[in-house]
Amino acid sequence: MAVLGSSSSRSVAVVGAVFVLVLVLDGADVCNGGKTSTYVRKEEKAVDMPLDSDVFRVPPGYNAPQQVHITQGDHVGKGVIVSWVTQDERGSSVVRYWSENSEHKLEAKGNVHRYRFYNYTSGYIHHCTLRNLMYNTKYYYEVGIGLTVRQFWFMTPPEVGPDVPYTFGLIGDLGQSFDSNLTLTHYENNPQKGQTVLFVGDLSYADNYPNHDNNRWDTWARFVERSLAYQPWIWTAGNHELDFAPEIGENQPFKPFTHRYHVPYRASNSTAPFWYSIKRASAYIIVLSSYSAYGKYTPQYKWLEQELPKVNRSETPWLIVMLHSPWYNSNNYHYMEGETMRVMFEPWFVEYKVDVVLSGHVHAYERSERVSNIAYNIVNGLCVPVHDLSAPVYITIGDGGNLEGLATNMTDPQPNYSAYREASFGHAIFDIKNRTHAYYSWHRNQDGYAVEADSMWFFNRVWNPVDDSTSV
């Protein structure tokens, strides 16, 4: 037994211990990522606002237009789609509009329709596109012509160009809870005034109510009218827009969403409203659908394959992609649900140097470093994301405040591609300064309006492709 204490055996033991320590340290380097916030929030389930809340109030007057909202109406920002609902009767589908410094009022005529969903019949849904507007101009507009007239206004964006500053708000998975109201209030009061919202899906959560209660589409649209009537929200379809319910005879996916929220998809040669693109100021924005077919040869795949080469980074240097289900997600909630789409499209995102990918779905906040995982080919074992300066930053912003509550169950340890993550409700701002720099900030609802819980300077991948990592 004395041989166990010999110098040779002790050397072997020391070498083995060092080897194990190296493995542990090496594993820590691979697995441990950026910062998981230590912020402690109250563990409370989100609660929907009662139906008699003032945010859901129907505007006064006979057949008064309600649920007024606007979005971009063409590819370059000179068009606006105005939408609203009348409840008592069809009424007029005309929009009267004029620029701030003009007394000459113009009129555009839209169309109107209704839809049925199970035992619900919608009001009269109006959509009207205003075309050939002047850039960087304040317009007033009126709806409800002939009965109860309501007036609103909006600003058109600056002309498309490489150094045009522009500020986007980022919101997702909003719903209609007290937390939803806080999110929208914080966005409205943020000193960095957003000019357009990039909305990454999951609007009303009507499908969470018995029989997909479509009255909840109406209450949600009245709730958000205070923002949507005055600035465009750019729409992404999420899983809560599917409303696929064969058990009650509803077999048409996206039925309420497509009737209520029109987008200018034909302007970018898309064949469906779930994937499309727009230019706005110095940004080229591509919207994709996580819940439409995207495999090879499908319409969405073919469209994106043809769309990416069209992006002229000398004209629109900032390339932003919106989709609902995140590709890089270190939360156990919806973990890896976006993986098949990532496998299909990530090589293109790297090739065309997408600056940022915005997603929702996970009810928490997370920002990645610039990483890619495109080397893996089934047999080579190269299945770990790597630092890649040609890759986008992935931001999950599904923290709007819906009744399903926060996703607090995060993977441990935090992976190295994850720069910052936190289970709190909030919104973000993407503030483009010029072709080389954009300032990004995330704001949690519990803080003051100007407080930034997370932030970074984005360096454009084409015009300033230096390392903008924020974690060691």
Side-chain angles (χ1 to χ4, degrees), residues 282 284 313 316-321 349 352-357 370 390-394 430 435-436 458-464 468:
S282 50
Y284 200 102
R313 304 295 281 273
T316 50
W318 293 95
L319 180 51
I320 300 170
V321 175
F349 285 15
Y352 290 98
K353 294 180 169 53
V354 172
D355 291 291
V356 61
V357 176
R370 295 194 182 277
S390 293
V393 169
Y394 293 87
F430 194 82
R435 76 180 69 191
T436 60
F458 272 77
F459 301 152
N460 186 271
R461 289 303 88 192
V462 170
W463 291 98
N464 190 23
D468 49 13

Side-chain angles (χ1 to χ4, degrees), residues 186 189-191 427 442-453:
H186 267 67
N189 288 284
N190 193 321
H427 74 279
W442 174 67
H443 304 257
R444 79 166 73 86
N445 287 352
Q446 288 85 354
D447 294 333
Y449 296 131
V451 175
E452 300 172 352

Side-chain angles (χ1 to χ4, degrees), residues 12-33:
V12 170
V14 170
V15 170
V18 171
F19 179 67
V20 170
L21 180 61
V22 168
L23 285 177
V24 170
L25 292 175
D26 184 60
D29 181 60
V30 169
C31 295
N32 291 337

Side-chain angles (χ1 to χ4, degrees), residues 61-342:
Y62 177 76
N63 212 41
Q66 58 173 277
Q67 307 175 46
V68 180
H69 57 272
I70 63 174
T71 192
Q72 185 157 315
D74 66 352
H75 199 243
V76 297
K78 296 184 72 175
V80 168
I81 300 172
V82 181
S83 304
W84 70 98
V85 174
T86 51
Q87 200 64 47
D88 302 308
E89 63 173 88
R90 184 187 187 99
S92 170
S93 290
V94 169
V95 176
R96 182 182 298 139
Y97 64 102
W98 61 97
S99 63
E100 183 177 31
N101 299 316
S102 172
E103 296 181 358
H104 179 56
K105 295 186 177 181
L106 304 169
E107 289 189 350
K109 191 174 190 314
N111 56 64
V112 60
H113 63 273
R114 307 178 85 180
Y115 75 91
R116 290 185 59 84
F117 190 97
Y118 187 52
N119 59 358
Y120 167 91
T121 301
S122 75
Y124 298 91
I125 303 172
H126 304 256
H127 299 285
C128 181
T129 302
L130 313 183
R131 307 179 191 277
N132 299 315
L133 303 174
M134 294 179 289
Y135 284 118
N136 206 30
T137 301
K138 186 175 185 177
Y139 281 89
Y140 294 91
Y141 69 99
E142 294 176 340
V143 291
I145 309 301
L147 291 171
T148 300
V149 177
R150 296 184 69 200
Q151 184 181 113
F152 306 90
W153 59 267
F154 60 83
M155 282 290 301
T156 54
E159 185 173 0
V160 172
D163 289 302
V164 178
Y166 202 76
T167 306
F168 293 100
L170 315 179
I171 300 176
D173 298 67
L174 188 57
Q176 42 198 303
S177 72
F178 288 101
D179 293 290
S180 313
N181 194 31
L182 275 175
T183 297
L184 190 55
T185 301
H186 267 67
Y187 170 67
E188 292 168 320
N189 288 284
N190 193 321
Q192 296 175 277
K193 291 300 180 185
Q195 296 163 276
T196 291
V197 168
L198 304 180
F199 191 87
V200 293
D202 285 0
L203 286 68
S204 71
Y205 286 79
D207 63 339
N208 273 14
Y209 301 88
N211 299 316
H212 293 233
D213 183 1
N214 271 226
N215 291 292
R216 281 295 186 169
W217 278 101
D218 296 319
T219 56
W220 188 82
R222 291 198 292 270
F223 156 50
V224 295
E225 181 189 85
R226 70 195 205 218
S227 175
L228 271 76
Y230 298 95
Q231 66 173 240
W233 286 34
I234 309 303
W235 300 111
T236 311
N239 57 300
H240 286 279
E241 279 68 73
L242 275 164
D243 281 300
F244 177 65
E247 68 278 6
I248 55 174
E250 292 295 342
N251 300 314
Q252 179 187 337
F254 301 108
K255 187 178 183 180
F257 175 71
T258 51
H259 278 87
R260 293 169 180 271
Y261 294 94
H262 283 192
V263 297
Y265 67 96
R266 292 187 180 91
S268 56
N269 297 315
S270 171
T271 55
F274 314 116
W275 57 89
Y276 63 99
S277 71
I278 60 169
K279 301 175 186 177
R280 197 162 185 89
S282 50
Y284 200 102
I285 299 161
I286 292 178
V287 177
L288 298 177
S289 175
S290 298
Y291 304 100
S292 303
Y294 47 74
K296 198 166 186 178
Y297 313 122
T298 60
Q300 184 170 199
Y301 178 98
K302 293 296 292 182
W303 177 83
L304 184 59
E305 183 180 39
Q306 296 165 10
E307 181 70 11
L308 284 167
K310 296 178 183 177
V311 183
N312 179 358
R313 304 295 281 273
S314 295
E315 178 192 50
T316 50
W318 293 95
L319 180 51
I320 300 170
V321 175
M322 301 165 60
L323 47 89
H324 187 63
S325 187
W327 294 359
Y328 287 93
N329 165 34
S330 67
N331 199 301
N332 287 310
Y333 189 58
H334 297 313
Y335 182 62
M336 290 188 75
E337 286 184 19
E339 183 66 6
T340 54
M341 193 182 210
R342 182 194 66 78

